[in-house]
Amino acid sequence: MTSIWSLMVFFLLLSIVGVSNGGLTSRYIRKSRPSIDMPLDAFPSPKGFNAPEQVHITQGDYVGRSVIISWVTPIKKYPNTVRYWEDGKHGHGHKHKHIARAITTTYRYYNYTSGFIHHATVKRLKYDTLYFYELGRGNVTRHFSFKTPPEVGPDVPYTFGVIGDLGQTYDSNQTFEHYVSNPKGQAMLFVGDLSYADNHPFHDNRKWDAWGRFVEKSTAYQPWIWTAGNHELDLAPDIEENQPFKPYLHRYHVPHKASQSTSPLWYAIKRASAHIIVLSSYSAYGKYTPQYNWLQQELQRVNRYETPWLIVLLHSPWYNSNNYHYMEGESMRVMFESWFVQSKVDIVFAGHVHSYERSERVSNVKYNITNGLSFPVKDPSAPIYITIGDGGNIEGLANNFTEPQPSYSGFREASFGHAILDIRNRTHAYYTWHRNQDSEPVAADSIWLYNRYYFPQEEKTGASTMV
Ligand SMILES: [Fe+2]
């Protein structure tokens, strides 16, 4: 009896001082304002007849020596070529420029007809080299550039940006501008939900075009590594649109064949010292499905001597303590979590929940229906799960966390922002989360991440640091 009373007093005390058995819930209160899209004409098409627009690039092969350059010409199919050249060479005079021809596609969606969507793969590029490229002809020629990554290797430093659920509101613009103002990001890990066109009547596909123009000042110059979210499904049986991912798959090409995937919705790339695996939360992943079989094979292809950092991108988070979308990722966790622990995945980035959260290193893989071990426990071989669906879209913030904060949750805050993953060598990476309301150098959450393969020590966290 005494012990029950002392326990009750203990829990009463706990509730008074606001301590939970989990990590930190940020006390930062973000002023809320309505989430509305920027108007369609906020990012108009470039001037001139048939001027190329919505330019975006992504990695075009397994190792970073190819780039897929994509763009839209609104009225005519031609020209459908890109001219490109290495910095310092052949910049003047057409005869020295390389030319790559695009694969061109169009699609219809209800009463919308797309422009001509071009995807050109430029191959056999040099590593770690600046390239220029130009699209269009005559007075509508537009110029861009990109830098190829260094050759894949274990201690190659590289810095990734991380954004999810971006949309095209004024908040989205703030997140995006924040990221663009940070010179560190060399490539973007995008964890799904791009334009939110489907939140408009008949999935107004002009919003897909507007989004392509909105993000062009980053996507034309550095590769964005794409993940499909639920807002890419664009299913609308009432208007006879039954083909999942139709606009997304026409507009965004990825190098899935290079990793022996049969679908652009799941694939992998190696870039600098990272092996990045992209999964689809909205495609079949049960045993014997193509995604299941592919992931099993791909995890066996990971070579930590070559790429020490193993990173997974997917849309619907496995560990998240927000009431919005609670446990939607649970079935995929049940399928694949033990593989991630066996493979010592370093980080899993997810989106979907419009809030920020970073987990502890936990796993929940012992459960077998009869043994009762159905809770997450600390596990040094487990990934850290980061939910970064806080790009700032039309659906607003997910500001309703479960209480008390569960023990698997390390840090959580209902704000918009983006993250930077700064890989330094095979053992250390510095990860920071940047809240939109702060100036860019402020990190509202930061952690030195230790590689699971080479240095599987427990990390220490520290919030609100300058970097
Ligand atoms: Fe989502």
Side-chain angles (χ1 to χ4, degrees):
M1 203 63 190
T2 327
S3 63
I4 289 171
W5 276 109
S6 57
L7 261 180
M8 283 180 69
V9 170
F10 175 70
F11 280 116
L12 185 69
L13 274 171
L14 271 186
S15 65
I16 289 168
V17 296
V19 177
S20 76
N21 62 342
L24 183 71
T25 299
S26 171
R27 293 185 189 281
Y28 183 89
I29 304 292
R30 182 187 174 279
K31 279 194 192 123
S32 67
R33 53 180 175 183
S35 296
I36 50 165
D37 268 10
M38 297 180 283
L40 278 172
D41 58 5
F43 297 94
S45 295
K47 288 205 168 58
F49 178 76
N50 207 36
E53 59 171 81
Q54 305 173 49
V55 182
H56 52 94
I57 65 171
T58 196
Q59 185 162 317
D61 65 358
Y62 204 33
V63 295
R65 284 193 63 194
S66 290
V67 171
I68 302 172
I69 299 173
S70 305
W71 72 100
V72 173
T73 49
I75 300 158
K76 284 183 155 277
K77 181 177 176 182
Y78 298 102
N80 67 342
T81 50
V82 51
R83 296 175 297 282
Y84 64 99
W85 63 96
E86 194 185 318
D87 181 30
K89 288 186 185 167
H90 318 317
H92 307 286
H94 278 273
K95 67 176 181 179
H96 295 299
K97 293 173 183 172
H98 304 283
I99 293 177
R101 189 169 303 280
I103 294 164
T104 303
T105 182
T106 62
Y107 73 93
R108 288 185 58 81
Y109 192 97
Y110 187 54
N111 59 1
Y112 167 92
T113 304
S114 76
F116 295 92
I117 305 168
H118 310 283
H119 304 281
T121 304
V122 297
K123 297 175 182 169
R124 291 180 289 278
L125 302 171
K126 290 183 186 165
Y127 285 116
D128 208 12
T129 301
L130 179 65
Y131 283 87
F132 295 98
Y133 67 101
E134 58 186 28
L135 300 166
R137 220 175 260 160
N139 64 348
V140 296
T141 304
R142 300 185 65 205
H143 298 265
F144 306 93
S145 64
F146 60 82
K147 196 175 177 202
T148 52
E151 187 171 0
V152 170
D155 290 300
V156 180
Y158 203 77
T159 305
F160 294 97
V162 196
I163 291 181
D165 302 65
L166 186 56
Q168 46 193 308
T169 70
Y170 296 94
D171 291 315
S172 320
N173 195 34
Q174 214 175 12
T175 304
F176 179 69
E177 287 296 330
H178 234 58
Y179 173 68
V180 170
S181 75
N182 186 333
K184 283 189 191 163
Q186 296 172 286
M188 170 60 69
L189 306 177
F190 190 85
V191 291
D193 285 358
L194 286 66
S195 75
Y196 287 75
D198 59 345
N199 277 358
H200 296 273
F202 311 114
H203 296 222
D204 189 348
N205 271 230
R206 293 174 304 166
K207 285 284 179 185
W208 274 106
D209 293 315
W211 196 82
R213 293 192 291 266
F214 161 45
V215 294
E216 185 190 79
K217 77 168 154 181
S218 176
T219 58
Y221 298 91
Q222 60 173 255
W224 282 42
I225 309 306
W226 301 109
T227 312
N230 53 307
H231 287 276
E232 278 65 73
L233 277 162
D234 276 310
L235 287 172
D238 49 323
I239 51 172
E240 293 177 33
E241 289 297 348
N242 297 311
Q243 189 188 327
F245 303 108
K246 191 208 259 181
Y248 172 72
L249 291 177
H250 277 90
R251 291 167 181 273
Y252 294 91
H253 278 196
V254 299
H256 61 283
K257 287 177 188 156
S259 57
Q260 297 165 50
S261 166
T262 50
S263 166
L265 299 169
W266 55 88
Y267 63 101
I269 58 162
K270 297 188 270 190
R271 196 166 180 89
S273 46
H275 192 119
I276 297 160
I277 292 178
V278 179
L279 297 180
S280 173
S281 299
Y282 306 99
S283 305
Y285 47 77
K287 197 165 184 182
Y288 315 122
T289 60
Q291 183 167 210
Y292 179 102
N293 289 344
W294 174 82
L295 178 60
Q296 195 170 35
Q297 297 297 312
E298 186 61 25
L299 286 170
Q300 283 166 21
R301 283 192 283 270
V302 175
N303 175 359
R304 302 301 268 272
Y305 296 106
E306 186 183 53
T307 50
W309 294 92
L310 179 52
I311 298 165
V312 176
L313 314 182
L314 48 84
H315 188 64
S316 188
W318 296 359
Y319 284 97
N320 185 282
S321 65
N322 202 293
N323 280 311
Y324 290 94
H325 302 305
Y326 190 59
M327 289 183 77
E328 284 183 18
E330 183 64 5
S331 50
M332 192 189 234
R333 182 192 70 74
V334 170
M335 288 309 296
F336 295 144
E337 186 181 17
S338 60
W339 292 1
F340 283 16
V341 173
Q342 281 157 22
S343 305
K344 299 183 194 296
V345 171
D346 291 293
I347 318 163
V348 177
F349 288 110
H352 200 41
V353 177
H354 303 159
S355 234
Y356 175 73
E357 187 161 4
R358 170 175 51 75
S359 82
E360 303 289 349
R361 290 199 185 274
V362 290
S363 69
N364 185 3
V365 291
K366 299 249 167 78
Y367 182 53
N368 68 10
I369 290 190
T370 55
N371 64 10
L373 301 174
S374 56
F375 45 85
V377 292
K378 284 225 171 186
D379 186 339
S381 294
I384 279 185
Y385 295 88
I386 290 170
T387 306
I388 186 132
D390 57 345
N393 57 67
I394 195 168
E395 295 176 346
L397 270 181
N399 53 6
N400 183 0
F401 286 114
T402 57
E403 298 293 348
Q405 187 168 5
S407 57
Y408 63 75
S409 174
F411 178 82
R412 56 186 193 174
E413 179 180 315
S415 285
F416 296 127
H418 72 277
I420 297 284
L421 176 66
D422 187 358
I423 296 173
R424 302 287 174 88
N425 54 36
R426 74 183 70 191
T427 56
H428 284 65
Y430 193 57
Y431 166 83
T432 51
W433 174 63
H434 302 260
R435 177 197 288 142
N436 282 0
Q437 278 68 31
D438 301 329
S439 68
E440 176 63 26
V442 178
D445 181 35
S446 62
I447 182 169
W448 274 103
L449 294 172
Y450 303 146
N451 186 273
R452 288 303 96 187
Y453 187 84
Y454 285 99
F455 191 55
Q457 307 289 312
E458 191 171 356
E459 288 103 342
K460 294 169 190 65
T461 64
S464 296
T465 51
M466 297 289 285
V467 290

